[in-house]
């Protein structure tokens, strides 16, 4: 008879794996990806694919080189690639997209120890590096379909910038559909909300962070006399709140930790949007809160159920 | 406040299967340690003839238990074996004569007061039959009886597969209530709560039907959320009290007793037949005809499986108990023990687990731990050898229920790490104490 397996309990496990979680995130990002292809043309698909491929390849090669266990099949690097692409304008030169992907995976993720060890969200950190390095191409947003019509597409202001430039801002409907200038994956609010709800319903993310983040932005905008709905639907807020502020490694794990994290992100976003010099504050706010995460986690630890003797 | 847990598959395939008595096995192997505490003293030798229910192992010390022969026949040999708890213990191998002749000395105990009730329970050899195996008479020997405010009867049966407690409620419902009467009479307890998970509709209605006729008994329907049957979880969810760390239910005025243990005590008071057989759920993907089988204690697992129609696939893993907290069995020759409530035989597919991958800090483990522990940080502190952190993280509170490992998408062996971390913490505390004593001098 074959030898019986001896092991410590439990002897069954839940269905969810790292890979299935990442697959769920990819599924949730697909509606926004489709919207981007519809509005910005097939080049957006190209950028997305290049980012995913570079991220996965960087992860694979780096782990091979360091003789680390290969985690490329867990799909987390594909998620990073997809989110990074979503944060780039469709006109981005491909070599820059490749550069960003390598930075995200190798510098931000692997050099800190790989999945679960990095303190900053790889896609966000890479985006910020790219913003600094390639500020021209990183802000060369084009109006939807422009790229199909003319090779030298004219840069157009995003909704957040439009206001300050005195242009007529797009309507709510335009924002919801995403038929306005912006990064590949951030314009179609409806698709992002759909994806976010999918992740919440599947239990992949909890509602606390996005709810706190979005609510704070809305309330603060209202207090500051701005159009709250407009602020929520434009820029990278929804992409950030649902997909980047909910990253596991770089955000707190407990309910209150997530709420504090979301509130912090919201406040910093507002600060940058209304008083800062940057066009958009979502990425910076998440990065700053990533840095605070260990402290928030410490503050919001669960208290073990120790009890006390009853007399 | 709500305690967390996980949703596990119920797989209560045998809930409808009334326990059937299996043919008497050719031989039984009865170890002297089937309980928590000191092993019993073996009092038979090779060649002795024994009858069913005859004492063969005498309780040794305060926390120990009597052990009786589960067959009539001859002692073939006395031997040593490795018990399910890992220590070497003496055991008796008894060849049965197939007659199951009852020992002449058996008669109902007829207790008159608390002391004679406790000694009757002690004589019966009963231990916590839900799996814990703690000698019941020790648990019931309450010094200040007035402290008992609630008696919580554990009928949650939250482990997948297992239905033996369900069968107790269905087939021996009257004995559960006779047991309640006995506890009322001898321990003076007034308030009883029977905690049952809501996936056992028939057992619930049976218990409700019977409780309507008895004063002071409440049937508490629990959500089907593992681990409702964990002692602390059960006490919290039924009477809303938190058993302190390192304490006993009695510290918060509660006694917890498993439903099958209680029914057995009542039956023993009537018949005087000690604990010699168990109703065991035999199930798992490799078992041909899953069912509940009444089996003499000491029966080899392979005979029990034969009685369940044999195997339909090669066994990969065999468990004493359910898949969440059960112990793996090294061989099919191992005997059924007093506290065995199920034997689960898994085939290759069922025993297969996902690969262990790096922790992704998803927080699922710490958000599902009923005691709000942080297995992720415990694992880290253990790896770093940080005893102080383990103390702060209260790893000694962990009941090893398995929720964290079960839910972890990276399939980290969190329960295993917790077990090791507990040992590490004990060492650390001992060191600390030694240090302090040295400084004190
Ligand atoms: S559940 Fe597993 S992967 Fe998630 S934080 Fe806990 S140990 Fe890490
Ligand atoms: S840490 Fe212990 S008590 Fe908490 S879920 Fe894991 S095994 Fe259960």
């Amino acid at each position: 008879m074959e030898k019986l397996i001896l092991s410590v309990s439990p002897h069954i496990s839940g269905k969810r794996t790292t890979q299935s979680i990442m697959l769920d995130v990819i599924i949730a990002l697909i509606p926004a990806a489709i919207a981007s292809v519809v509005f910005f043309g097939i080049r957006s698909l190209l950028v997305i694919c290049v980012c995913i491929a570079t991220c996965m390849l960087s992860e694979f090669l780096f782990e091979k080189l360091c003789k680390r266990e290969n985690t490329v099949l867990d799909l987390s690097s594909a998620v990073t690639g997809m989110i990074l692409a979503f944060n780039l304008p469709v006109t981005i030169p491909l070599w820059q997209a490749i550069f960003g992907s390598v930075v995200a995976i190798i510098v931000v993720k692997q050099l800190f120890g790989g999945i679960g060890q990095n303190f900053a969200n790889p896609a966000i950190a890479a985006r910020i590096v790219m913003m600094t390095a390639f500020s021209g191409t990183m802000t060369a947003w084009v109006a939807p379909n422009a790229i199909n019509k003319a090779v030298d597409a004219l840069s157009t202001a995003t909704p957040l910038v439009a206001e300050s430039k005195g242009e007529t801002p797009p309507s709510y409907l335009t924002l919801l559909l995403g038929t306005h200038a912006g990064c590949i994956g951030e314009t179609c609010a409806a698709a992002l909300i759909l994806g976010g709800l999918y992740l919440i319903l599947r239990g992949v993310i909890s509602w606390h962070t996005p709810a706190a983040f979005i609510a704070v932005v809305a309330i603060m905008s209202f207090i500051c006399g701005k159009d709250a709905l407009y602020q929520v639907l434009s820029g990278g807020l929804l992409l950030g709140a649902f997909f980047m502020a909910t990253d596991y490694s770089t955000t707190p794990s407990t309910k209150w930790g997530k709420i504090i994290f979301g509130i912090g992100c919201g406040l910093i976003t507002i600060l940058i949007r209304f008083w800062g010099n940057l066009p958009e504050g979502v990425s910076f706010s998440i990065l700053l809160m990533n840095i605070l995460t260990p402290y928030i986690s410490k503050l919001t630890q669960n208290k073990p159920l120790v009890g006390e003797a009853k007399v | 406040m709500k305690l967390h847990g996980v949703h596990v598959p119920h797989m209560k395939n045998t809930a409808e299967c009334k326990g059937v008595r299996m043919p008497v096995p050719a031989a039984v192997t009865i170890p002297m340690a089937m309980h928590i505490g000191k092993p019993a003293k073996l009092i038979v030798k090779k060649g002795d003839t024994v009858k069913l229910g005859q004492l063969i192992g005498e309780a040794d010390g305060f926390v120990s238990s009597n052990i009786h022969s589960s067959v009539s026949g001859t002692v073939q040999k006395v031997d040593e074996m490795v018990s399910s708890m890992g220590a070497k213990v003496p055991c008796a191998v008894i060849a049965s004569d197939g007659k199951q002749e009852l020992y002449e000395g058996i008669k109902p105990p007829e207790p008159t007061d608390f002391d004679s009730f406790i000694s009757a329970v002690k004589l019966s050899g009963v231990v916590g039959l839900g799996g814990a195996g703690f000698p019941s008479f020790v648990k019931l020997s309450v010094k200040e009886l007035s402290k008992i405010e609630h008696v919580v009867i554990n009928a949650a049966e939250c482990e997948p597969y297992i239905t033996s407690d369900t069968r107790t409620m269905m087939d021996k419902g009257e004995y559960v209530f006779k047991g309640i009467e006995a506890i009322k009479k001898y321990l003076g307890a007034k308030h009883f709560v029977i905690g049952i998970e809501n996936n056992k509709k028939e057992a619930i209605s049976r218990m409700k039907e019977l409780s309507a006729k008895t004063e002071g008994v409440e049937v508490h329907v629990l959500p089907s959320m593992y681990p409702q049957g964990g002692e602390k979880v059960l006490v919290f969810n039924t009477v809303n009290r938190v058993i302190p760390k390192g304490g006993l239910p009695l510290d918060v005025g509660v006694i917890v007793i498993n439903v099958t243990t209680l029914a057995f005590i009542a039956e023993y008071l009537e018949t005087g037949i000690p604990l010699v057989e168990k109703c065991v759920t035999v199930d798992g993907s490799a078992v041909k005809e899953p069912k509940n089988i009444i089996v003499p204690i000491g029966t080899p697992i392979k005979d029990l499986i034969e009685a369940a129609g044999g195997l339909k696939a090669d066994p990969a893993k065999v468990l004493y108990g359910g898949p969440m907290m059960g112990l793996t069995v090294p061989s099919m020759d191992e005997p059924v023990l007093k506290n065995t409530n199920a034997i689960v035989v898994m085939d290759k597919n069922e025993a297969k687990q996902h690969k262990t991958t790096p922790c992704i800090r998803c927080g699922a483990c710490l958000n599902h731990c009923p005691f709000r522990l942080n297995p992720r940080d415990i694992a880290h502190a253990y790896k770093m050898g940080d005893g102080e952190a383990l103390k702060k993280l209260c790893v000694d509170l962990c009941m090893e229920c398995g929720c964290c490992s079960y839910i972890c998408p990276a399939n980290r062996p969190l329960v295993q790490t917790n077990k090791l971390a507990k040992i590490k913490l004990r060492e650390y505390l001992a060191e600390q104490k030694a240090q302090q004593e040295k400084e004190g001098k």
Side-chain angles (χ1 to χ4, degrees):
Chain A
M1 198 168 64
E2 274 177 77
K3 262 195 124 167
L4 298 174
I5 303 171
L6 298 180
S7 65
V8 174
S9 61
H11 307 286
I12 50 174
S13 55
K15 289 204 179 64
R16 193 156 279 171
T17 60
T18 304
Q19 191 191 39
S20 77
I21 289 173
M22 296 303 160
L23 194 63
D24 262 339
V25 179
I26 292 174
I27 292 171
L29 288 167
I30 283 177
I34 293 174
S36 79
V37 176
V38 171
F39 301 138
F40 297 114
I42 200 74
R43 192 170 198 277
S44 79
L45 188 64
L46 182 69
V47 176
I48 293 173
C49 290
V50 164
C51 286
I52 292 178
T54 314
C55 282
M56 292 181 84
L57 197 68
S58 311
E59 176 132 315
F60 178 79
L61 291 178
F62 189 89
E63 286 175 335
K64 264 270 133 67
L65 216 70
C66 296
K67 301 204 166 61
R68 269 190 205 157
E69 198 186 333
N70 229 292
T71 56
V72 74
L73 285 181
D74 71 17
L75 299 177
S76 62
S77 52
V79 168
T80 301
M82 210 160 169
I83 292 180
L84 178 64
F86 275 25
N87 279 295
L88 305 175
V90 68
T91 50
I92 191 91
L94 291 183
W95 70 270
Q96 292 182 357
I98 292 172
F99 172 84
S101 306
V102 172
V103 168
I105 294 299
I106 293 186
V107 181
V108 192
K109 185 180 177 188
Q110 290 296 344
L111 287 184
F112 284 91
I115 190 163
Q117 309 276 329
N118 50 304
F119 77 92
N121 185 315
I124 289 182
R127 181 195 192 190
I128 289 171
V129 169
M130 290 174 79
M131 288 270 243
T132 325
F134 320 120
S135 56
T137 48
M138 281 296 284
T139 50
W141 294 294
V142 292
N145 294 325
I147 193 158
N148 299 340
K149 288 171 199 147
V151 186
D152 266 329
L154 234 68
S155 316
T156 316
T158 63
L160 280 179
V161 184
E163 232 187 335
S164 57
K165 283 195 178 164
E167 293 171 22
T168 17
S171 67
Y172 294 144
L173 188 68
T174 312
L175 288 174
L176 210 56
L177 289 177
T179 52
H180 58 85
C183 293
I184 287 176
E186 69 178 24
T187 63
C188 182
L192 291 169
I193 293 170
L194 190 71
L197 289 181
Y198 172 79
L199 289 185
I200 290 171
L201 289 179
R202 294 275 298 159
V204 171
I205 61 171
S206 73
W207 55 268
H208 302 90
T209 319
F213 196 166
I214 294 168
V216 167
V217 168
I219 293 166
M220 290 307 289
S221 304
F222 180 75
I223 293 175
C224 298
K226 305 266 182 173
D227 183 340
L229 189 57
Y230 187 84
Q231 288 297 331
V232 168
L233 293 179
S234 56
L237 179 63
L238 294 172
L239 180 63
F242 284 119
F243 295 96
M244 305 200 281
T246 54
D247 175 52
Y248 291 147
S249 319
T250 57
T251 66
S253 300
T254 58
K255 182 174 77 185
W256 283 107
K258 287 174 198 291
I259 292 173
I260 294 174
F261 187 92
I263 292 174
C265 287
L267 291 177
I268 300 171
T269 299
I270 288 295
L271 214 66
I272 297 176
R273 275 192 185 177
F274 296 167
W275 292 285
N277 286 325
L278 294 162
E280 167 61 317
V282 170
S283 295
F284 275 99
S285 72
I286 297 173
L287 185 69
L288 287 172
M289 293 308 288
N290 282 166
I291 294 168
L292 290 180
T293 293
Y295 304 97
I296 302 174
S297 296
K298 202 161 217 170
L299 273 177
T300 56
Q301 261 171 33
N302 286 338
K303 264 217 188 63
L305 194 73
V306 176
E308 45 188 303
K310 193 177 152 278
V311 203
Chain B
M1 192 170 78
K2 235 181 70 199
L3 300 191
H4 299 290
V6 294
H7 291 286
V8 293
H10 299 311
M11 302 188 282
K12 304 279 189 188
N13 314 317
T14 52
E16 309 281 307
C17 308
K18 204 174 151 122
V20 288
R21 199 163 255 113
M22 68 174 274
V24 186
V28 291
T29 303
I30 305 181
M32 290 298 111
M34 300 187 274
H35 51 263
I36 292 174
K38 224 169 147 194
K41 245 198 321 240
L42 192 61
I43 56 167
V44 288
K45 52 186 193 311
K46 189 176 166 181
D48 286 0
T49 41
V50 290
K51 297 241 167 101
L52 176 65
Q54 184 175 340
L55 190 72
I56 57 168
E58 216 169 36
D60 186 15
F62 183 59
V63 182
S64 186
S65 177
N66 280 346
I67 289 169
H68 305 82
S69 178
S70 59
V71 292
S72 61
T74 327
V75 179
Q76 219 169 31
K77 62 174 175 183
V78 293
D79 203 354
E80 251 191 358
M81 65 181 281
V82 178
S83 81
S84 65
M85 288 143 199
K88 270 204 168 160
V89 291
C91 66
V93 181
I94 303 171
S96 94
D97 57 14
K99 294 188 207 134
Q100 293 302 69
E101 270 175 294
L102 207 58
Y103 179 57
E104 306 77 28
I106 284 174
K107 58 174 194 328
E110 289 167 3
T112 48
D113 57 2
F114 174 73
D115 289 330
S116 52
F117 172 69
I118 295 294
S119 58
V121 175
K122 181 174 178 182
L123 283 177
S124 76
V126 69
V127 299
L129 301 179
F134 190 76
S136 305
F137 81 92
V138 181
K139 189 186 256 186
L140 294 174
S141 304
V142 177
K143 288 211 182 64
E144 280 175 72
L145 288 174
S146 59
K147 259 181 135 180
I148 307 172
E149 289 171 63
H150 307 283
V151 177
V152 176
I153 298 162
N154 192 346
E157 204 162 55
C158 53
E159 273 266 9
Y161 283 125
I162 310 180
T163 60
S164 48
D165 283 345
T166 307
R167 287 327 301 179
T168 299
M169 290 185 273
M170 297 308 296
D171 305 336
K172 296 192 170 173
E174 314 78 42
Y175 281 115
V176 175
F177 281 78
K178 282 181 187 165
I180 289 176
E181 293 301 343
I183 303 253
K184 264 190 196 169
K185 192 162 156 195
Y186 301 115
L187 273 73
K190 291 189 183 65
H191 184 235
F192 294 77
V193 189
I194 309 178
I196 315 177
E197 267 194 5
N198 64 14
N199 60 359
K200 299 176 223 349
K201 298 273 176 294
E202 283 179 31
I204 292 169
S205 53
R206 178 83 182 119
M207 288 297 104
K208 281 199 167 148
E209 184 191 315
L210 289 165
S211 70
K213 296 180 215 148
T214 321
E215 215 177 297
V217 184
E218 177 195 326
V219 176
H220 193 112
V221 180
L222 301 160
S224 307
M225 160 91 87
Y226 180 86
Q228 295 299 320
E231 192 167 76
K232 276 190 198 187
V233 178
L234 183 72
V235 167
F236 185 86
N237 286 344
T238 50
V239 295
N240 200 18
R241 293 183 184 182
V242 179
I243 301 172
K245 188 178 99 174
L248 293 170
L250 203 58
D251 295 334
V252 289
V254 179
I255 286 187
V256 183
I257 187 163
N258 165 269
V259 68
T260 302
T261 311
L262 186 65
F264 169 80
I265 291 173
E267 214 177 338
Y268 175 74
L269 293 181
E270 254 180 48
T271 63
I273 301 176
L275 185 63
V276 290
E277 61 181 19
K278 270 304 295 275
C279 178
V280 171
T281 302
V282 185
D283 203 341
S285 50
V287 175
K288 220 179 247 167
E289 297 159 19
K291 54 171 88 149
N292 283 304
I293 298 177
I294 300 170
V295 48
I297 285 164
T299 301
I301 291 174
K302 58 173 189 270
D303 291 6
L304 178 65
I305 297 203
E306 227 29 72
L311 295 174
K312 61 181 178 199
D314 279 339
K317 207 187 239 192
V318 182
L319 305 174
Y320 275 133
M324 288 304 282
M325 288 190 78
L327 295 172
T328 47
V329 175
S331 122
M332 294 282 206
D333 298 325
E334 295 292 316
V336 168
L337 307 174
K338 279 183 184 176
N339 57 345
T340 306
N341 47 11
I343 296 289
V344 172
V345 187
M346 295 179 156
D347 65 14
K348 216 167 62 225
N349 276 334
E350 197 184 9
K352 205 162 124 196
Q353 301 235 356
H354 312 136
K355 223 176 106 219
T356 297
T357 49
C359 167
I360 55 172
R361 298 186 64 83
C362 64
C365 52
L366 57 110
N367 285 322
H368 285 86
C369 173
F371 296 160
R372 292 158 203 268
L373 297 176
N374 187 334
R376 177 181 79 197
D377 288 3
I378 291 172
H380 183 74
Y382 173 70
K383 202 172 137 204
M384 296 288 143
D386 189 344
E388 190 56 35
L390 290 176
K391 186 171 148 192
K392 284 212 186 87
L393 289 162
C394 297
V395 61
D396 45 344
L397 190 64
C398 169
M399 62 174 152
E400 295 167 22
C401 65
C403 290
C404 50
S405 296
Y406 178 85
I407 205 77
C408 175
N411 200 26
R412 313 283 314 158
L414 299 167
V415 173
Q416 195 175 341
T417 315
N418 283 1
K419 280 180 190 255
L420 295 169
K422 282 185 195 177
I423 299 171
K424 170 88 207 152
L425 175 61
R426 267 201 297 275
E427 285 168 8
Y428 173 76
L429 292 177
E431 258 170 49
Q432 222 180 21
K433 214 172 139 199
Q435 190 83 28
Q436 270 167 7
E437 270 165 23
K438 223 165 88 195
E439 276 164 21
K441 275 177 197 166

